[in-house]
């Protein structure tokens, strides 16, 4: 597609539930990033994929968070046993050789609310 | 610790009133500094990349400059449509394009 697509745009869940957030990057972009943005803050790095592998997952806050990118395109961020503190906007970005100076292009985000 | 600090947190301008936003950084090594614009409910949108001290980039009413310790985003004669949050981010040398963001400056331009 023309841009980075994220679904769902909004997700409301109850504490303790499992959620999946999906990111469809720009076609041909090999690098994919997940960020988390809390209200009034800048985006905070979570994980970086180069192709199918997670090259840097140092930003994942704990083992309840996991992300996959099995075919090197679409990525899914998975959160187990959600907590109220997980409420935030989860942003996905991609970059590639055609993105100009390795610029990251962001999606609109998935807003997660944990009740 | 690598850190990016933006000031002010919020800025209110009258249409046509020029001003500057500041981004100061403390990093082990800078590979590049990025400015993004973010509108409510949307993801950050790329504006500029700066790589070396003394470099300047311009786009319409916006001009970004870089020194060894900070960057400025100058807004000349702003319009209401320039209202947004402006985010500064750095990429460290020796690594990949992992952006470290500041908290942003919320700009409101009133007619």
């Amino acid at each position: 597609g023309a841009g980075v697509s994220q679904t769902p745009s909004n997700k409301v869940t109850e504490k303790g539930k499992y959620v999946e957030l999906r990111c469809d990057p720009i076609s041909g972009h090999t690098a994919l990033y997940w960020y988390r943005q809390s209200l009034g803050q800048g985006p905070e790095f979570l994980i970086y994929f180069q192709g199918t592998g997670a090259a840097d997952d140092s930003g994942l806050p704990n083992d309840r968070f996991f992300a996959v990118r099995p075919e090197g395109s679409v990525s899914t961020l998975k959160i187990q046993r959600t907590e109220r503190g997980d409420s935030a906007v989860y942003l996905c970005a991609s970059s590639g050789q055609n993105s100009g100076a390795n610029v990251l292009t962001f999606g609109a985000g998935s807003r997660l609310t944990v009740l | 610790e690598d850190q990016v600090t933006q000031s002010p947190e919020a800025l209110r301008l009258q249409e046509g009133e020029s001003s500057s936003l500041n981004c100061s950084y403390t990093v082990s090594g800078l590979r590049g500094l990025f400015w993004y614009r973010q509108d409510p409910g949307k993801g950050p949108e790329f504006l500029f990349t700066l790589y070396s001290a003394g470099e300047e980039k311009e786009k319409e009413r916006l001009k970004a400059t870089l020194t060894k310790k900070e960057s400025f985003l100058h807004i000349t004669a702003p319009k209401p449509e320039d209202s947004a949050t402006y985010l500064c981010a750095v990429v460290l040398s020796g690594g990949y394009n992992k952006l470290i963001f500041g908290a942003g400056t919320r700009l409101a331009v009133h007619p």
Side-chain angles (χ1 to χ4, degrees), chain B residues 14 16 32 45 47 64:
Chain B
Q14 290 298 121
E45 177 186 348
L47 292 173

Side-chain angles (χ1 to χ4, degrees), chain B residues 46-94:
Chain B
F46 172 74
L47 292 173
F48 304 108
T49 310
L50 301 165
Y51 291 105
S52 55
E55 188 176 0
E56 298 183 353
K57 294 271 181 74
E58 284 190 69
K59 180 180 179 180
E60 297 181 353
R61 296 176 292 282
L62 300 177
K63 183 169 82 172
T65 61
L66 181 65
T67 72
K68 288 187 177 180
K69 293 191 174 182
E70 59 191 349
S71 176
F72 292 93
L73 184 64
H74 307 277
I75 304 177
T76 302
K79 298 182 177 182
E81 53 262 41
D82 294 323
S83 298
T85 295
Y86 290 86
L87 294 163
C88 170
V90 298
V91 170
L92 305 181
S93 57

Side-chain angles (χ1 to χ4, degrees), chain B residues 6-54:
Chain B
Q6 293 189 244
S7 62
E9 289 184 8
L11 181 62
R12 178 188 170 117
L13 299 174
Q14 290 298 121
E15 184 172 4
E17 179 186 3
S18 301
S19 189
S20 296
L21 312 182
N22 177 263
C23 171
S24 63
Y25 58 91
T26 306
V27 297
S28 50
L30 181 72
R31 182 166 144 205
L33 185 141
F34 292 71
W35 283 97
Y36 279 81
R37 168 188 171 132
Q38 187 173 28
D39 292 296
K42 296 189 177 181
E45 177 186 348
F46 172 74
L47 292 173
F48 304 108
T49 310
L50 301 165
Y51 291 105
S52 55

Side-chain angles (χ1 to χ4, degrees), chain A residues 9-96:
Chain A
S9 56
N10 278 287
K11 175 71 176 178
V12 180
T13 191
E14 293 180 344
K15 180 174 178 293
K17 299 289 188 182
Y18 168 83
V19 299
E20 289 190 352
L21 307 175
R22 175 189 167 110
C23 173
D24 203 337
I26 291 173
S27 178
H29 278 189
T30 56
L32 185 145
Y33 306 76
W34 283 99
Y35 282 78
R36 178 168 70 174
Q37 187 172 26
S38 300
L39 192 63
Q41 299 298 314
E44 176 189 22
F45 170 78
L46 295 177
I47 187 170
Y48 157 62
F49 287 91
Q50 182 60 250
T52 60
D56 182 354
D57 64 358
S58 63
L60 295 178
N62 51 61
D63 61 7
R64 295 187 297 105
F65 288 75
F66 190 70
V68 296
R69 194 186 185 198
E71 297 179 356
S73 178
V74 171
S75 176
T76 304
L77 179 65
K78 308 180 180 192
I79 309 174
Q80 298 177 322
R81 304 183 304 279
T82 52
E83 299 177 356
R84 292 194 180 87
D86 298 336
S87 297
V89 175
Y90 290 81
L91 294 165
C92 177
S94 68
S95 70

